[in-house]
Amino acid sequence: MEKNRFKKVMSSTDILVVAFGAMIGWGWVVSSGRWIQNAGTIGTVIGFVIGGLMIYFVGMTYAELTPAMPKVGGEHVFSHKAFGPTGSFICTWALILSYIGVVCFEAVSLPTIIQYIFPSFSQGYLYTVAGSDVYATGVAVASVFTIVIIVLNILGIKAASIFQTILTIVIAAVGIILVVASAINGSPENLEGQMIVGEGFGSVKNILSVAVVAPFFLFGFDVIPQVAEEINIPLKKIAKVLLLSIICAVVFYGLVVFAVGYALNSKEIAAAMEGSGLVTAFAMEKVFNSAVMAKVLIIGGLCGVITSWNSFLIGGSRAIFSMAESKMIPSRFAKLHKKHKTPTNALLLIGVLSLAAPFFGKQMLVWISDAASLACCLAYLMVSMSFLILRKKEPELHRPFKVKHYKFVGITASVLSGFMVVMYLIPGSGATLTWQEFIIVGGWALLGIIFYVMCKRKYKTEFGHIDV
């Protein structure tokens, strides 16, 4: 294939909003009340800072490796350099599961959010899956949005980036409005009794319970290396934007949580949790004394779902393309659109899965989302280890952005991401996968083994070849 396969059209703003938009989904709207009840307002902020540090250490390994090897697929290339074809297959296959899991989850979340805005939205009951009702209107709307996003991405990464920028501006504006209004109309008295929940070790445990889940809400910066060949800025700047996206996401979550705790006392949060559960929207309603503003905030959350959906679709399609190009999965998925230079077949594959997702109900997609979290942490662990291995294995590799104290950074990133993997696997950890989620992970691993064996036999010496 020709070297310049993709169009280099992405600016600093484009990659920042793609990464930030991936990290800011629906969680800041729906989960803030639960976090505050579990750990307190300040406790939650501390928890997100701790979780953010874990992601930042992993992010630093990405920041060095991405400019050093600016190839489509990112992690696929890093892990191949460090571990060879088999390690690269495991890392990228896990990453694809994480991307597809998020895309499918967002496709199911969309109708749920619309129902908050229009309570009578769910019409045309079809059936129930694992206690979750499936409605014709929800399937129809999710299908339309899926087709629109797929078409937009086929038309080019720049079109998808402009779409992402507009929605990210809406999210940021809504968040800033909430924070400012809460600072003006909220009260420090509301923080009484909910600064940090628990005493002594109990409070530490509660804070850590938030810290453990925080990385899940901060996944998404890793989309940047996936589109490395489409970025048109100095290589060193890519690293800085990647790290900035992580900082922006942690600050956003921290400010929103504090705004909610400053606007609502513990009784009001409990009442909101027993009602719709959208405590952040209720906080917006209270500080403006307007039910309309609550819906405005939910619309901001809706934009967050779409930006996350769009970002992980971009990342997932490039990861699939990179595996197909190196003959680790069928090569038909390495096809690029003749005019727009986008991975058409890879996008269509994820699009088909997105179209199917709403038919399985929300509960099943929760299982896929949790399985995706484990897969992402495994990929982070392998990238962090690749970072350490390549410093030893290829010390002369040109690194436009070179991390200081690389041993400390690499070991910390590996230990923290490895800890997250263990937390998902060990019973009683608080983050253990359910048996349904273990089946999903096992099924995906089995499918990977089938592709590995089949493609290795079919492509022989071409299997796993990457020209870096």
Side-chain angles (χ1 to χ4, degrees):
M1 285 191 178
E2 65 273 22
K3 290 185 177 180
N4 296 320
R5 300 158 300 172
F6 294 86
K7 292 184 177 180
K8 287 185 172 292
V9 294
M10 298 187 76
S11 66
S12 299
T13 302
D14 292 331
I15 60 174
L16 178 61
V17 297
V18 163
F20 180 73
M23 292 185 271
I24 305 300
W26 176 238
W28 62 281
V29 177
V30 75
S31 300
S32 60
R34 185 175 71 251
W35 294 333
I36 292 172
Q37 285 187 325
N38 289 345
T41 303
I42 303 301
T44 298
V45 173
I46 294 172
F48 260 89
V49 170
I50 294 172
L53 281 173
M54 174 258 179
I55 291 295
Y56 193 82
F57 272 106
V58 174
M60 280 197 283
T61 68
Y62 273 79
E64 177 171 299
L65 294 173
T66 302
M69 291 169 276
K71 293 277 290 181
V72 64
E75 296 91 332
H76 182 61
V77 180
F78 310 156
S79 53
H80 188 281
K81 272 277 198 180
F83 296 105
T86 301
S88 179
F89 188 101
I90 293 170
C91 179
T92 316
W93 191 245
L95 201 67
I96 291 171
L97 172 59
S98 72
Y99 288 157
I100 290 176
V102 174
V103 168
C104 291
F105 184 78
E106 303 300 9
V108 175
S109 298
L110 185 69
T112 305
I113 299 164
I114 293 175
Q115 189 172 358
Y116 283 120
I117 303 172
F118 304 105
S120 59
F121 169 74
S122 295
Q123 301 292 328
Y125 170 78
L126 298 176
Y127 47 81
T128 299
V129 179
S132 177
D133 295 335
V134 179
Y135 291 90
T137 50
V139 171
V141 168
S143 298
V144 169
F145 268 85
T146 297
I147 293 169
V148 170
I149 293 175
I150 292 294
V151 170
L152 194 65
N153 274 275
I154 289 175
L155 290 176
I157 189 70
K158 191 64 180 179
S161 298
I162 292 171
F163 175 69
Q164 185 87 353
T165 300
I166 294 169
L167 295 183
T168 303
I169 290 171
V170 173
I171 300 168
V174 170
I176 291 169
I177 290 169
L178 170 64
V179 171
V180 172
S182 176
I184 295 171
N185 298 321
S187 171
E189 293 178 1
N190 290 326
L191 295 173
E192 292 180 10
Q194 59 178 17
M195 291 274 283
I196 296 178
V197 174
E199 297 180 0
F201 180 72
S203 63
V204 174
K205 185 178 179 181
N206 292 335
I207 290 172
L208 289 177
S209 72
V210 173
V212 168
V213 300
F216 171 73
F217 295 94
L218 298 171
F219 292 157
F221 67 89
D222 46 280
V223 173
I224 291 178
Q226 295 296 331
V227 296
E229 287 187 39
E230 298 162 88
I231 299 172
N232 190 30
I233 64 174
L235 292 174
K236 189 173 183 179
K237 196 171 183 180
I238 296 175
K240 294 179 179 179
V241 174
L242 188 152
L243 295 174
L244 176 62
S245 70
I246 298 172
I247 295 171
C248 288
V250 173
V251 170
F252 182 87
Y253 278 110
L255 287 175
V256 167
V257 167
F258 186 82
V260 171
Y262 200 73
L264 303 174
N265 60 42
S266 57
K267 291 182 179 178
E268 290 170 325
I269 289 177
M273 287 293 289
E274 291 176 5
S276 67
L278 302 183
V279 177
T280 310
F282 183 65
M284 187 77 142
E285 179 179 348
K286 183 187 175 185
V287 294
F288 279 97
N289 192 27
S290 169
V292 173
M293 292 305 294
K295 293 191 175 182
V296 168
L297 187 130
I298 293 173
I299 291 172
L302 176 63
C303 291
V305 166
I306 298 172
T307 57
S308 181
W309 189 347
N310 187 50
S311 292
F312 284 104
L313 175 63
I314 291 170
S317 62
R318 273 64 179 176
I320 291 171
F321 173 90
S322 66
M323 288 195 78
E325 188 185 39
S326 56
K327 304 295 192 297
M328 291 183 174
I329 59 176
S331 59
R332 67 175 66 94
F333 293 112
K335 179 184 176 182
L336 288 177
H337 193 283
K338 289 182 180 179
K339 178 181 178 182
H340 304 298
K341 302 299 182 183
T342 48
T344 312
N345 287 348
L347 285 166
L348 290 174
L349 173 62
I350 301 178
V352 169
L353 294 173
S354 299
L355 287 170
F359 288 96
F360 290 92
K362 188 167 66 173
Q363 184 57 48
M364 184 169 288
L365 272 300
V366 171
W367 297 335
I368 291 177
S369 180
D370 289 342
S373 299
L374 167 62
C376 192
C377 287
L378 175 60
Y380 285 174
L381 171 61
M382 294 193 71
V383 171
S384 300
M385 292 172 66
S386 298
F387 168 81
L388 286 169
I389 291 170
L390 290 175
R391 274 297 188 99
K392 288 282 188 180
K393 188 177 177 181
E394 298 197 26
E396 301 305 316
L397 177 69
H398 177 58
R399 295 171 170 85
F401 181 89
K402 199 166 186 178
V403 173
K404 295 179 180 179
H405 312 296
Y406 82 91
K407 287 185 179 179
F408 174 74
V409 170
I411 291 172
T412 302
S414 299
V415 169
L416 291 175
S417 51
F419 171 75
M420 290 298 296
V421 172
V422 171
M423 288 289 284
Y424 283 116
L425 298 177
I426 291 183
S429 69
T432 315
L433 299 185
T434 64
W435 65 268
Q436 295 96 335
E437 292 158 359
F438 274 115
I439 288 176
I440 292 170
V441 172
W444 185 255
L446 179 60
L447 180 61
I449 292 170
I450 292 171
F451 272 132
Y452 182 91
V453 173
M454 181 182 72
C455 291
K456 196 164 189 179
R457 287 179 178 176
K458 180 179 180 180
Y459 298 114
K460 298 182 173 60
T461 57
E462 290 183 273
F463 178 87
H465 175 72
I466 297 178
D467 181 21
V468 182

